[in-house]
Amino acid sequence: MLSLSVLSVFVPTFLLVSLTPGMCMTLAMVLGMTQGVRRTLWMMAGELVGVGLVAIAAGAGVAALMLRQPGLFAVFKWLGGAYLAYLGVMMWRSRGRMAIPDTLASQARAGRRELAVQGLVTAVANPKGWAFFMALLPPFLDASRPLPAQLAALVAVILTIEFGALLAYATGGQTLRHLLGQADKVRLLNRVAGTLMVGVGLWLALG
């Protein structure tokens, strides 16, 4: 188990980081806006799996090897970024399953797997995330105690905080949709969501 002294520092640190707007949080807000919070949970599931994998790899020292292979990240970054940007353009044009339909009574339905893959790719393909966990986790690990138990406890805390932050952003996006959800403002809402999604794609590809 983690000591209270470790948790008292780790929890506020990671909470501040999670609540700071970033790629995954922006993606959660966009999907909350266009798909609703319930369906955005699938993206969150994929994102949390990705964050967990990156955190475990960073804690185990694997991240140092990964960061020495920039070609691996380049492939993930460009493919993932291009896909998200494409979805953003389709949203901006009020087309595709991610866009809000002109008739709000009919809900656009993105596939569950599609949403989960978006979250996973966004989390895993972000080199800054790998570097961040490499810098954040080691100071909280005690070399004199078993590593797996400590790492499992820290990752559990990370995923709990991350889920809360994603849920808050998705709820904010859904609230924005309700505020601007009149039929004459659907195109504007799609363009806002599409612009944000393109931004996430460029952020991922060029970050």
Side-chain angles (χ1 to χ4, degrees):
M1 295 295 292
L2 298 173
S3 66
L4 290 178
S5 59
V6 170
L7 289 175
S8 66
V9 177
F10 183 79
V11 170
T13 299
F14 195 78
L15 181 62
L16 180 62
V17 171
S18 288
L19 290 175
T20 301
M23 286 189 295
C24 292
M25 297 305 150
T26 303
L27 182 60
M29 184 175 69
V30 170
L31 294 180
M33 191 185 307
T34 62
Q35 300 295 307
V37 173
R38 181 173 297 181
R39 292 195 67 79
T40 303
L41 290 173
W42 290 99
M43 184 283 291
M44 296 181 198
E47 196 268 351
L48 291 174
V49 170
V51 168
L53 291 174
V54 172
I56 291 171
V62 179
L65 296 177
M66 293 294 290
L67 290 177
R68 294 194 188 104
Q69 301 292 330
L72 295 176
F73 282 119
V75 173
F76 278 116
K77 286 172 57 180
W78 284 100
L79 290 179
Y83 178 61
L84 293 177
Y86 164 76
L87 291 177
V89 171
M90 293 295 286
M91 285 181 181
W92 205 89
R93 299 174 64 191
S94 297
R95 296 183 179 180
R97 291 180 298 173
M98 289 290 179
I100 303 170
D102 290 334
T103 303
L104 291 178
S106 61
Q107 171 66 50
R109 292 291 181 181
R112 295 174 178 178
R113 181 179 299 178
E114 181 181 4
L115 292 168
V117 168
Q118 284 184 43
L120 179 64
V121 169
T122 304
V124 173
N126 180 14
K128 291 181 180 179
W130 290 80
F132 168 76
F133 280 117
M134 281 186 64
L136 177 68
L137 287 179
F140 292 97
L141 296 173
D142 186 350
S144 65
R145 301 171 60 192
L147 177 63
Q150 295 181 74
L151 194 54
L154 286 176
V155 170
V157 172
I158 288 170
L159 295 183
T160 300
I161 295 174
E162 185 79 355
F163 175 71
L166 288 168
L167 193 60
Y169 273 83
T171 302
Q174 183 171 270
T175 301
L176 182 61
R177 172 178 175 160
H178 291 325
L179 292 175
L180 299 177
Q182 295 86 354
D184 60 336
K185 295 181 180 177
V186 170
R187 183 174 295 273
L188 171 62
L189 197 56
N190 275 327
R191 290 185 174 182
V192 170
T195 300
L196 289 173
M197 184 70 89
V198 170
V200 173
L202 292 176
W203 195 349
L204 180 60
L206 303 177

